[in-house]
Amino acid sequence: MNVRIFAPAKINLTLKVAPPRADGLHPLQSVVAFADVGDVVEAEAAEALSLRVHGPFADRIGAGEDNLVLRAARLLAEQAGRPAQAALTLEKNLPVASGVGGGSADAAAALRALNDLWRLDWSNAQLAEVGARLGADVPVFFTCGAGAYMTGIGEICTAAPLPALPVVLINPLKPLATPDVYRAFDKMKLGAALVHDGAPSWRNAEDALADMRTLGNDLEPAARALLPEIGDILAACAASAQVRHAALSGSGATVFAVTADLDAAKSLERDLAKRHPGWWVRQAMLGA
């Protein structure tokens, strides 16, 4: 039996971040959308636990014991009271440390794949509970919708209906560690108390764009201070008539650029890839 699970990129369409709590963690509110580009995790029956990594960004991560896919497998086996036996394969298509939740998506996909392979029949809520022990970003991948609204430190998630949004994802192919961005955020004394309005209700793309422009991403100034190339990407997007809105996703350094339609997204992808061959540029659909 072979189980293959897609691990989508997670794009923060909005991100409000408060100052740190007493434990150093930051409360947040974020509307996220799942893209049709991402990694892939496969699981096959085996007598022992192993992981093989391939794909465009395989050389940026290891297959060692600290890999989130292996950690997810060991934790699920422990919680299920069974041996951790599976041959796992990770196709790494997303840039590493890029603000699109790649590692968390991989961990969630591994939990899903092994839930099927081992015939555990655990619910999404049970898998999300296991995932929360691996990272605050993991549970959102079990909300089972086009998007989600994240609160708490990211671990409280509810499904959020979203309009389909054609986008182009752009990354300068320079990793940006989330802890570094939050340290810069705190040093710059950014963040404010959150207004608890609940998940926004977006009837169409115009509603979504209006809120995205108003709410923005509170981590962007800190991320740009650490990696000026983010500013270069945003400037390139601002200069394009095809871009309706562009902003940073998560802690960066991936920028998403919303276009009017899929043809415009494909055209923008071609243009940016030609002008900036050192960038990772991918057309995608969100909320579809």
Side-chain angles (χ1 to χ4, degrees), residues 17-238:
V17 181
R21 308 182 307 197
D23 61 5
L25 300 175
H26 295 74
L28 60 83
Q29 294 172 341
S30 180
V31 180
V32 302
F34 303 111
D36 61 356
V37 299
D39 298 335
V40 178
V41 173
E42 293 187 67
E44 292 186 85
E47 295 184 358
L49 182 63
S50 64
L51 173 64
R52 182 177 73 91
V53 183
H54 69 104
F57 295 99
D59 61 343
R60 306 288 181 95
I61 64 170
E65 294 301 303
D66 62 341
N67 185 287
L68 270 172
V69 170
L70 285 176
R71 288 173 55 197
R74 290 195 299 268
L75 182 57
L76 183 61
E78 175 188 316
Q79 295 298 301
R82 58 150 294 138
Q85 297 170 316
L88 297 167
T89 302
L90 170 60
E91 181 182 308
K92 194 63 186 171
N93 299 314
L94 297 174
V96 177
S98 61
V100 296
S104 296
D106 298 342
L111 293 175
R112 286 188 186 278
L114 293 171
N115 184 47
D116 289 348
L117 182 70
W118 293 341
R119 294 183 171 87
L120 300 179
D121 198 28
W122 284 19
S123 67
N124 283 322
Q126 288 175 292
L127 294 174
E129 187 175 342
V130 175
R133 297 177 57 179
L134 297 165
D137 254 7
V138 179
V140 72
F141 291 96
F142 295 99
T143 50
C144 294
Y149 185 60
M150 303 172 68
T151 56
I153 58 170
E155 85 288 9
I156 303 172
C157 311
T158 56
L162 298 176
L165 296 170
V167 299
V168 175
L169 307 178
I170 312 109
N171 185 278
L173 291 181
K174 293 187 177 181
L176 188 57
T178 298
D180 292 345
V181 175
Y182 273 103
R183 277 191 287 269
F185 178 87
D186 293 340
K187 188 175 181 179
M188 296 167 73
K189 300 188 183 304
L190 299 173
L194 301 176
V195 178
H196 296 283
D197 288 337
S201 178
W202 293 341
R203 295 166 298 176
N204 50 45
E206 297 305 321
D207 286 350
L209 287 165
D211 270 359
M212 282 188 264
R213 290 169 182 144
T214 299
L215 296 171
N217 180 341
D218 287 349
L219 294 181
E220 185 180 308
R224 290 181 66 160
L226 293 174
L227 194 62
E229 287 88 342
I230 293 170
D232 297 336
I233 294 174
L234 289 168
C237 291

Side-chain angles (χ1 to χ4, degrees), residues 228-270:
E229 287 88 342
I230 293 170
D232 297 336
I233 294 174
L234 289 168
C237 291
S240 173
Q242 296 166 318
V243 177
R244 304 186 71 193
H245 173 72
L248 188 71
S249 176
S251 58
T254 299
V255 167
F256 68 94
V258 182
T259 62
D261 53 40
L262 190 57
D263 286 341
K266 291 178 179 177
S267 176
L268 179 64
E269 178 189 47
R270 288 193 298 268

